[in-house]
Amino acid sequence: MPYDVCIIGGGVIGCAIARELSLSTLNIILLEKEGDVAEGTSKANSGVVHAGFNVKTGSLKARFNREGAAFFPEICRDLGVPYRLTKKLVVAKDRSELPYLEKLLEQGKRNGSRGLSIIGGGAIRAIEPDVAGEFALYSENTAVIAPAELTIAMAEVACANGAEFRLRAEVSAIERLESGYLVSTADGRRLEARMVINAAGLYSDRVLSMIEEHDRSIHPCRGEYFVLDRVDESFLKTAVYPVPPADGRGLGIHLTPTTEGNIIIGPSAEYINDPADVATTKPVMETLRREAIELMPKLKDVAFIRSYAGIRAKLFIAGGASNFEDFVIEESKANPGFVSLIGIESPGLTSAPAIARYVMDEFVRPRLAPGPRPGARAGRPAPRRIAEMPPEELTRACAEDPAFAEIVCRCNHVSKAEVRAALDNILGARTLSAVKKRTHAMMGRCQSGFCLPKILEIMTGEYGIDPAQVVANAPGSNPVVGYEA
């Protein structure tokens, strides 16, 4: 039977749309080329829910930033995803940078952002005693979340509501039919859908090229990050940003506390050719460290435990006169029912819930007229994590299932029961990355030195996965090499 809607891309935008559409009677399928959802930009970003003062007034970015941020406390509560209201300081080193803060303040007011003020050095130190700066824009409505967890939660809710997810299903061709579209994947499978929603992120321009010529192109912009070891919450409570560079490529290297108690430093901004090139480089790492210590000198005493990189989908339009390009969210004029979302970079994470609702109301509902799905749920219980259980609950959990008492990850206190739950996920993802994103194992100080052998033992011994077939995510990312049964 043909699908009503085929969504291409399992990032935060695609999964938010899948969740929204799954609340209706639509027959949905989502195609993702990786071995799990949240494997691209949606897992490798700062995880900030922006207040909306950094984007141009009147743009779709401003609209969906404002609308999306308002949804987040409730959505995170419904999905069992952590939400932390950190607030934010955009710091000016001296008076020469003050005009930029004033510009941000006025733009934020026009965009409907609340809780904004410009403060001086004394007030900065009252909020964050160790941050260096003479002035700052203070945002009281900035928060952080765990972006991969949010994406996974939305996908799993959509799947529970009946949406179908196909992993390792890279789209290779799209053909217009009288009744909709024929979508082919690289593994030789084909499906028909009345509508196609192109939410392929870094590859969205290529997907659109499969059905028509266009003048949009995505230029990958790599942002590298450092991850600091866990610190006490009082070490840094607030997200701290500098006045950004004038080239407009990003918001500058910033310090962001995470929901897990780490601090991330970054991102850099470098245009590259390969959207899959997530390497980190020594010169950039040195720059990140230096600039972070300038903002907060006591960071020189904290251990750096990991580096990683994410890729922004920077949109360029032929003949464009600005380095600011707005989100493109539109239905093809030549191919009705084919909707593309292109250039969804920051504040894409913040905007995701609002974009999903917009796609449903603006494009899907008028064309397909779905009704509400009986019994559909918008949320799910939070995963059970021993690191978050009070003693009485942990005692009960261990009595019910002794696997909760068996520690797999010492750094982040992850049990065998949690690893099993991650491998039993409703999407069918069976990779190390799937375990990592759902449990936080392999993310602590030892960076999998202790827990990886235990996780491999569970995957191979209990789940029957051939050791040679275990991958981090993509084919070729095998931790076990030279294995012979």
Side-chain angles (χ1 to χ4, degrees), residues 59-94:
S59 64
L60 289 179
K61 288 183 177 181
R63 171 187 169 178
F64 292 131
N65 188 146
R66 181 184 65 252
E67 294 177 4
F71 291 144
F72 260 88
E74 180 181 355
I75 283 177
C76 288
R77 198 162 50 243
D78 288 347
L79 294 174
V81 173
Y83 174 90
R84 181 177 171 189
L85 186 66
T86 58
K87 309 181 181 181
K88 181 194 286 186
L89 293 166
V90 182
V91 179
K93 295 190 296 288
D94 51 46

Coordinates of all heavy atoms in Angstrom, one line a residue, residues 59-94:
S59 N 12.4 37.3 9.7 CA 12.8 36.0 9.0 C 12.0 34.8 9.6 O 11.4 34.9 10.7 CB 14.3 35.8 9.2 OG 14.6 35.6 10.6
L60 N 12.0 33.7 8.8 CA 11.5 32.5 9.3 C 12.3 32.0 10.5 O 11.7 31.4 11.5 CB 11.5 31.4 8.2 CG 10.5 31.6 7.1 CD1 10.7 30.4 6.1 CD2 9.1 31.6 7.6
K61 N 13.6 32.3 10.5 CA 14.4 31.9 11.7 C 13.9 32.6 12.9 O 13.8 31.9 14.0 CB 15.9 32.3 11.4 CG 16.6 31.4 10.4 CD 18.0 31.8 10.3 CE 18.8 30.8 9.3 NZ 20.2 31.1 9.1
A62 N 13.6 33.9 12.9 CA 13.1 34.6 14.0 C 11.7 34.0 14.5 O 11.5 33.8 15.6 CB 13.0 36.1 13.7
R63 N 10.9 33.8 13.5 CA 9.5 33.3 13.8 C 9.6 32.0 14.5 O 9.0 31.8 15.6 CB 8.7 33.2 12.5 CG 7.3 32.5 12.8 CD 6.6 32.3 11.5 NE 5.5 31.4 11.7 CZ 4.6 31.0 10.8 NH1 4.7 31.5 9.6 NH2 3.6 30.2 11.1
F64 N 10.3 31.0 13.9 CA 10.2 29.7 14.4 C 11.1 29.5 15.7 O 10.9 28.6 16.5 CB 10.6 28.7 13.3 CG 9.6 28.5 12.2 CD1 10.0 28.6 10.9 CD2 8.3 28.4 12.5 CE1 9.1 28.5 9.9 CE2 7.3 28.3 11.5 CZ 7.7 28.4 10.2
N65 N 12.1 30.4 15.8 CA 12.9 30.4 17.0 C 12.0 30.8 18.2 O 12.0 30.1 19.2 CB 14.1 31.4 16.9 CG 15.1 31.4 18.0 OD1 16.2 31.6 17.8 ND2 14.6 31.1 19.3
R66 N 11.3 31.8 18.0 CA 10.4 32.3 19.1 C 9.3 31.3 19.4 O 9.1 30.9 20.6 CB 9.7 33.6 18.7 CG 8.8 34.2 19.7 CD 8.1 35.5 19.2 NE 7.2 35.2 18.1 CZ 7.4 35.5 16.8 NH1 8.5 36.2 16.5 NH2 6.6 35.2 15.8
E67 N 8.6 30.7 18.4 CA 7.6 29.8 18.6 C 8.1 28.5 19.2 O 7.5 27.9 20.1 CB 6.8 29.5 17.3 CG 6.1 30.7 16.8 CD 5.4 30.4 15.4 OE1 5.5 29.3 14.9 OE2 4.8 31.4 14.8
G68 N 9.2 28.0 18.6 CA 9.8 26.7 19.1 C 10.3 26.8 20.5 O 10.0 25.8 21.3
A69 N 10.9 27.9 20.9 CA 11.4 28.0 22.3 C 10.3 27.9 23.3 O 10.5 27.3 24.4 CB 12.2 29.3 22.4
A70 N 9.2 28.4 22.9 CA 8.0 28.4 23.9 C 7.5 27.0 24.1 O 6.9 26.7 25.1 CB 6.9 29.3 23.3
F71 N 7.7 26.1 23.1 CA 7.2 24.7 23.2 C 8.1 23.9 24.1 O 7.7 22.9 24.7 CB 7.1 24.1 21.9 CG 6.1 24.6 20.9 CD1 6.3 24.7 19.6 CD2 4.8 25.0 21.4 CE1 5.3 25.1 18.7 CE2 3.9 25.4 20.6 CZ 4.1 25.5 19.2
F72 N 9.4 24.3 24.3 CA 10.4 23.3 24.8 C 10.1 22.8 26.2 O 10.3 21.6 26.5 CB 11.8 23.9 24.6 CG 12.5 23.3 23.4 CD1 12.3 23.9 22.2 CD2 13.2 22.1 23.5 CE1 12.9 23.4 21.1 CE2 13.8 21.6 22.4 CZ 13.7 22.2 21.2
P73 N 9.8 23.6 27.2 CA 9.6 23.1 28.5 C 8.6 21.9 28.5 O 8.8 20.9 29.1 CB 9.2 24.3 29.4 CG 9.8 25.5 28.7 CD 9.7 25.1 27.2
E74 N 7.5 22.1 27.9 CA 6.4 21.1 27.8 C 6.8 19.9 27.0 O 6.6 18.8 27.4 CB 5.1 21.7 27.3 CG 4.0 20.7 27.2 CD 2.7 21.3 26.6 OE1 2.7 22.5 26.3 OE2 1.7 20.6 26.4
I75 N 7.4 20.1 25.9 CA 7.8 19.0 25.0 C 8.9 18.1 25.8 O 8.8 16.9 25.7 CB 8.4 19.5 23.7 CG1 7.3 19.9 22.8 CG2 9.3 18.5 23.0 CD1 7.7 20.5 21.5
C76 N 9.8 18.7 26.4 CA 10.9 18.0 27.1 C 10.2 17.2 28.3 O 10.6 16.0 28.5 CB 12.0 18.9 27.6 SG 13.0 19.5 26.3
R77 N 9.3 17.8 28.9 CA 8.6 17.1 30.0 C 7.8 15.9 29.4 O 7.8 14.8 30.0 CB 7.6 18.1 30.7 CG 7.1 17.7 32.1 CD 6.6 18.9 32.8 NE 5.6 19.7 32.0 CZ 5.8 20.9 31.7 NH1 6.9 21.6 32.0 NH2 4.9 21.6 31.0
D78 N 7.1 16.1 28.3 CA 6.3 15.0 27.7 C 7.2 13.9 27.2 O 6.8 12.7 27.3 CB 5.5 15.5 26.5 CG 4.3 16.4 27.0 OD1 4.0 16.4 28.2 OD2 3.8 17.1 26.1
L79 N 8.4 14.2 26.7 CA 9.3 13.2 26.1 C 10.3 12.6 27.1 O 11.0 11.7 26.7 CB 10.0 13.8 24.9 CG 9.2 14.3 23.7 CD1 10.1 15.0 22.7 CD2 8.5 13.1 23.1
G80 N 10.3 13.1 28.3 CA 11.3 12.6 29.3 C 12.7 12.9 29.0 O 13.6 12.2 29.2
V81 N 12.9 14.2 28.4 CA 14.2 14.6 28.0 C 14.6 15.8 28.9 O 13.8 16.7 29.2 CB 14.1 15.1 26.5 CG1 15.4 15.8 26.1 CG2 13.8 14.0 25.6
P82 N 15.8 15.8 29.4 CA 16.2 16.9 30.3 C 16.2 18.3 29.7 O 16.6 18.4 28.5 CB 17.7 16.5 30.8 CG 18.1 15.5 29.7 CD 16.9 14.8 29.2
Y83 N 15.8 19.2 30.5 CA 15.8 20.6 30.0 C 16.3 21.5 31.2 O 15.9 21.3 32.3 CB 14.3 21.0 29.8 CG 14.1 22.5 29.4 CD1 14.1 23.0 28.1 CD2 13.8 23.4 30.4 CE1 13.9 24.3 27.8 CE2 13.5 24.8 30.2 CZ 13.6 25.2 28.8 OH 13.4 26.5 28.6
R84 N 17.3 22.3 30.9 CA 18.0 23.1 31.9 C 18.0 24.5 31.5 O 18.6 24.9 30.5 CB 19.4 22.5 32.1 CG 20.3 23.2 33.2 CD 21.6 22.5 33.3 NE 22.5 23.3 34.1 CZ 23.8 23.0 34.3 NH1 24.3 22.0 33.7 NH2 24.6 23.8 35.1
L85 N 17.4 25.4 32.3 CA 17.4 26.8 32.0 C 18.7 27.4 32.6 O 18.8 27.7 33.7 CB 16.2 27.4 32.7 CG 15.9 28.9 32.4 CD1 15.6 29.1 31.0 CD2 14.8 29.5 33.4
T86 N 19.6 27.5 31.7 CA 21.0 28.0 32.1 C 21.1 29.5 32.1 O 21.9 30.1 32.8 CB 22.0 27.5 31.1 OG1 21.7 27.9 29.8 CG2 22.1 26.0 31.2
K87 N 20.3 30.2 31.2 CA 20.4 31.6 30.9 C 21.7 31.8 30.1 O 22.5 30.8 29.8 CB 20.4 32.5 32.2 CG 19.1 32.1 33.0 CD 19.0 33.0 34.3 CE 17.8 32.5 35.1 NZ 17.6 33.4 36.3
K88 N 22.0 33.0 29.7 CA 23.1 33.2 28.8 C 23.7 34.6 29.0 O 23.0 35.6 29.2 CB 22.7 33.1 27.3 CG 23.9 33.3 26.3 CD 23.4 33.5 24.9 CE 22.9 32.2 24.3 NZ 22.5 32.4 22.8
L89 N 25.0 34.7 28.9 CA 25.8 36.0 28.8 C 26.5 36.1 27.5 O 27.3 35.2 27.1 CB 26.8 36.0 30.0 CG 26.3 36.1 31.4 CD1 27.4 35.8 32.4 CD2 25.7 37.5 31.7
V90 N 26.2 37.1 26.7 CA 27.0 37.5 25.6 C 28.0 38.6 26.0 O 27.5 39.7 26.2 CB 26.1 37.9 24.4 CG1 27.0 38.2 23.1 CG2 25.1 36.9 24.1
V91 N 29.3 38.3 26.1 CA 30.2 39.1 26.8 C 31.0 40.0 25.8 O 31.6 39.5 24.8 CB 31.2 38.2 27.6 CG1 32.2 39.1 28.3 CG2 30.4 37.4 28.6
A92 N 31.1 41.3 26.2 CA 31.9 42.2 25.4 C 33.2 42.4 26.3 O 33.1 42.7 27.5 CB 31.2 43.5 25.2
K93 N 34.3 42.3 25.6 CA 35.6 42.5 26.4 C 35.8 43.9 26.9 O 36.3 44.1 27.9 CB 36.8 42.1 25.4 CG 36.8 40.6 25.0 CD 38.1 40.3 24.4 CE 38.3 41.0 23.0 NZ 37.4 40.5 22.0
D94 N 35.3 44.9 26.1 CA 35.5 46.3 26.4 C 34.4 47.1 25.8 O 33.5 46.6 25.1 CB 36.9 46.8 26.0 CG 37.2 46.5 24.5 OD1 36.3 46.7 23.7 OD2 38.3 46.0 24.2

